Amino acid sequence: MAADSARFGNTGLGNACLVASQVLRANQGTRFIQITSNDGWDMHSNIYAANVLPAKAKILDDAVSQLLNDLKANGLLS
């Protein structure tokens, strides 16, 4: 499980995407999945501080890109 979490970025969002991938792969009739994150997306302060926005973008990119890759690899993207 640690290796799977690492593929998704070892973040709250990444782990939520991992669970979503596992639920869909189980093929038990799930029709809707809501993915949430507690990785500190409140950007009301320090948004322009060094590396804050790029770091948040990396969390999003790592998690969502791996979710899409998993869904495609398992024939679930269509």
Side-chain angles (χ1 to χ4, degrees):
M1 182 75 171
D4 286 331
S5 181
R7 286 188 307 119
F8 283 83
N10 284 326
T11 62
L13 179 61
N15 289 333
C17 288
L18 172 59
V19 170
S21 176
Q22 292 169 335
V23 167
L24 292 171
R25 196 174 327 125
N27 197 24
Q28 297 295 308
T30 302
R31 298 185 63 187
F32 179 83
I33 294 178
Q34 179 175 338
I35 298 172
T36 60
S37 170
N38 61 350
D39 291 314
W41 289 92
D42 182 355
M43 298 301 229
H44 287 95
S45 62
N46 296 325
I47 190 171
Y48 299 110
N51 202 37
V52 172
L53 200 52
K56 295 299 178 191
K58 181 172 179 7
I59 290 170
L60 182 65
D61 184 49
D62 289 347
V64 174
S65 64
Q66 189 58 52
L67 175 60
L68 292 173
N69 287 339
D70 275 16
L71 294 177
K72 185 176 181 182
N74 290 299
L76 299 170
L77 192 56
S78 60

